[in-house]
Amino acid sequence: TRVRPSSKRCAVIGGSGFLGRHLVEKLLERGYSVAVFDIRQSYELPGVTFYQGDLCDKEALRPALKDVPLVFHCASPAPASDDRALFQRVNVQGTRTVIQACTELGVQKLVLTSSASVVYEGADIKNGTEDIPYAAKPMDYYTETKIKQEKLVLQACDKEGGLLTVAIRPHGIFGPRDPQLVPILVDTARRGKMKFIIGDGTNLVDFTFVENVVHGHILAAEHLRPESPLCGKPYHITNDEPIRF
Ligand code: NAD
């Protein structure tokens, strides 16, 4: 007989990453047991079972998602890798595979980490709502695949007893163990290379503290029900005010 999945079980695809690990730690704090699926294992924690594999491989995903009602998908190749084939394979094809695996295994909820850049077209956005259409000309290929990925996940939302989906759109994320944003800024400044200004110095950019991003993911997961307005919707997530550079 099939074991009824406990509502406090979940899986985090990309749980070895910067955001993923913060999410895992908060989920443990809230009493969840967590399965992490990632191509690398970067830590060990009580309450976490690690499954190492490529999310493009459905057979590898299966054991991690089995008997799990809730899945977070926050895996992606690093934007800086600039590898088009890899972005397409992991973010688009791989996300299709994740959705198929969730559907086949009877997962109830899928929460995607998307990106606010899916609506960015070069002009500042202040107090932008989720009604802004996807960028017709995304700023780079990574973003192009994040748009395709988000569409796939949101379109997979099936309120009639199937998989429920929602997407969270942070922009820059900062916080403890951030591997890229702040370390690269500090390193560049130390080397005396922060002498370039793109634009006239008034461009807006948004950074969100990692714990707020995590909080947004967990709220979305816990409020996602067939009758809730969250179904199949994206949500921008930010701190209070954008920072002016
Ligand atoms: P990260 O690189 O720290 O973590 C990503 C994780 O995904 C890594 O552990 C990596 O091993 C894993 N991964 C990559 N390819 C995989 C594959 N094929 N199969 C299994 N695992 C794979 O990145 P992050 O900053 O934690 O980003 C997490 C998510 O948040 C991503 O979807 C990213 O697009 C999104 N995001 C990040 C930022 C930011 O500022 N960091 C901003 C907006 C959106």
Side-chain angles (χ1 to χ4, degrees), residues 5 14 21 32-33 66 79 112 148 163 186 216 228 230 236:
R21 180 171 173 184
Y32 286 85
S33 65
K66 192 171 173 290
L112 173 72
K148 288 184 181 158
L163 179 68
V186 170
S228 78
L230 277 75
H236 293 149

Side-chain angles (χ1 to χ4, degrees), residues 14 16-20 37-40 53-56 74-77 89-90 113-115 142 146 170-173 179-180:
S16 292
F18 167 50
L19 174 64
F37 183 90
D38 204 295
I39 36 172
R40 63 188 176 111
D54 185 335
L55 63 85
C56 302
C74 55
S76 171
R89 192 179 72 83
V90 177
T113 312
S114 180
S115 169
Y142 161 80
K146 291 296 283 184
H171 190 243
I173 307 173
Q180 34 183 9

Side-chain angles (χ1 to χ4, degrees), residues 188-199:
T188 312
R190 282 215 178 104
R191 288 187 289 119
K193 297 246 167 97
M194 289 277 268
K195 289 175 187 146
F196 306 100
I197 296 179
I198 298 169

Side-chain angles (χ1 to χ4, degrees), residues 6-233:
S6 145
S7 61
K8 280 282 186 177
R9 266 189 68 72
C10 65
V12 180
I13 303 173
S16 292
F18 167 50
L19 174 64
R21 180 171 173 184
H22 279 281
L23 180 59
V24 168
E25 288 174 351
K26 185 57 78 181
L27 287 163
L28 292 172
E29 217 178 284
R30 290 173 76 99
Y32 286 85
S33 65
V34 184
V36 166
F37 183 90
D38 204 295
I39 36 172
R40 63 188 176 111
Q41 179 174 355
S42 60
Y43 59 95
E44 280 181 37
L45 270 179
V48 180
T49 315
F50 276 91
Y51 296 86
Q52 213 166 335
D54 185 335
L55 63 85
C56 302
D57 176 356
K58 195 160 70 185
E59 292 314 307
L61 273 172
R62 280 182 164 276
L65 307 191
K66 192 171 173 290
D67 296 328
V68 169
L70 166 63
V71 173
F72 295 92
H73 175 7
C74 55
S76 171
S81 73
D82 208 23
D83 182 337
R84 285 183 165 232
L86 184 67
F87 291 147
Q88 169 69 25
R89 192 179 72 83
V90 177
N91 288 349
V92 184
Q93 271 307 115
T95 296
R96 247 184 222 122
T97 307
V98 168
I99 294 168
Q100 275 169 14
C102 286
T103 308
E104 288 172 19
L105 291 163
V107 170
Q108 292 154 22
K109 303 178 187 185
L110 174 61
V111 180
L112 173 72
T113 312
S114 180
S115 169
S117 61
V118 301
V119 297
Y120 181 70
E121 286 211 305
D124 284 345
I125 299 172
K126 194 171 181 190
N127 297 328
T129 68
E130 289 77 7
D131 297 330
I132 301 172
Y134 288 111
K137 289 193 187 116
M139 58 192 233
D140 53 23
Y141 193 73
Y142 161 80
T143 307
E144 204 173 310
T145 61
K146 291 296 283 184
I147 293 175
K148 288 184 181 158
Q149 173 190 54
E150 189 188 278
K151 286 183 178 169
L152 284 170
V153 169
L154 298 183
Q155 284 164 6
C157 190
D158 173 9
K159 295 183 192 178
E160 313 302 322
L163 179 68
L164 301 179
T165 64
V166 64
I168 300 297
R169 293 174 175 172
H171 190 243
I173 307 173
F174 69 94
R177 299 190 302 258
D178 156 29
Q180 34 183 9
L181 183 71
V182 173
I184 290 171
L185 278 179
V186 170
D187 185 56
T188 312
R190 282 215 178 104
R191 288 187 289 119
K193 297 246 167 97
M194 289 277 268
K195 289 175 187 146
F196 306 100
I197 296 179
I198 298 169
D200 61 3
T202 61
N203 290 335
L204 294 178
V205 65
D206 185 55
F207 295 113
T208 306
F209 184 50
V210 65
E211 285 186 18
N212 292 337
V213 180
V214 164
H215 189 210
H217 280 69
I218 296 178
L219 281 179
E222 293 183 348
H223 289 265
L224 187 57
R225 291 186 204 95
E227 69 281 6
S228 78
L230 277 75
C231 287
K233 295 272 169 57

